[in-house]
Amino acid sequence: MTNAARKPDRILLVLLGVIGLLVVVALAVVFSRGDPEPLDEASPAGVVQRYSTAVIDGDLATAETYLTDSARTICRGSYFGEPRPARVVLVSTSERDQSATVRVSIVNSSQDGPFGPSEYESEDIFSLVKADGDWKISQAPYQLMACTGTQVKP
């Protein structure tokens, strides 16, 4: 073999090594990201973040602590049995003196389907009011309702 024939082999090996290194670095970045940074718990977005996390984790008792008394006693639809959303993404916040609106993107995923796993998202809003100096959720999107022990209002 000539020296020219061996040169492309070395270049190919170097390229494969670089690609392999990039894949390892990318995987390390993806798996080390962790949970999102917690928002200020005294802000409307922070309340929605903690409430949504509790609902997704199935901790309805904690989730209910972020609801107004009215929202806890009259539930507009708790959809037990349906899969919980996979994640909730903050879109925008509109804060006023005694009320706030937090727009979120709710991402649902399903492992079933004719073509395998699927994911879909929809936007919805949380309505919040200030009660005793704290932000409380007065209305949550139906996919994130946490209302145990309440009567369902049609």
Side-chain angles (χ1 to χ4, degrees):
M1 265 193 183
T2 66
N3 209 12
R6 290 179 160 235
K7 200 171 212 174
D9 290 340
R10 287 185 192 151
I11 292 172
L12 182 62
L13 287 174
V14 169
L15 284 175
L16 289 174
V18 169
I19 291 171
L21 181 63
L22 288 173
V23 167
V24 169
V25 169
L27 288 172
V29 168
V30 167
F31 289 117
S32 67
R33 283 180 29 190
D35 291 333
E37 192 68 29
L39 301 173
D40 179 10
E41 63 184 312
S43 71
V47 169
V48 168
Q49 182 184 43
R50 284 163 179 74
Y51 172 84
S52 298
T53 299
V55 171
I56 291 170
D57 291 345
D59 186 359
L60 300 184
T62 297
E64 284 184 341
T65 65
Y66 295 104
L67 298 174
T68 62
D69 291 339
S70 174
R72 271 196 303 265
T73 57
I74 300 174
C75 180
R76 294 200 177 122
S78 181
Y79 294 89
F80 296 109
E82 285 190 18
R84 291 185 183 98
R87 65 185 180 276
V88 177
V89 180
L90 176 66
V91 174
S92 66
T93 302
S94 175
E95 186 176 334
R96 296 162 295 283
D97 286 341
Q98 296 298 313
S99 65
T101 303
V102 177
R103 181 171 295 281
V104 295
S105 175
I106 302 169
V107 180
N108 294 285
S109 61
S110 171
Q111 298 304 315
D112 302 331
F115 302 107
S118 66
E119 191 172 273
Y120 61 94
E121 68 180 275
S122 61
E123 281 194 14
D124 212 330
I125 61 168
F126 283 87
S127 297
L128 293 90
V129 295
K130 217 165 218 181
D132 298 325
D134 294 326
W135 288 107
K136 295 285 186 175
I137 296 169
S138 60
Q139 185 174 0
Y142 80 90
Q143 305 97 315
L144 290 165
M145 287 301 297
C147 40
T148 58
T150 60
Q151 51 182 304
V152 176
K153 180 179 179 181

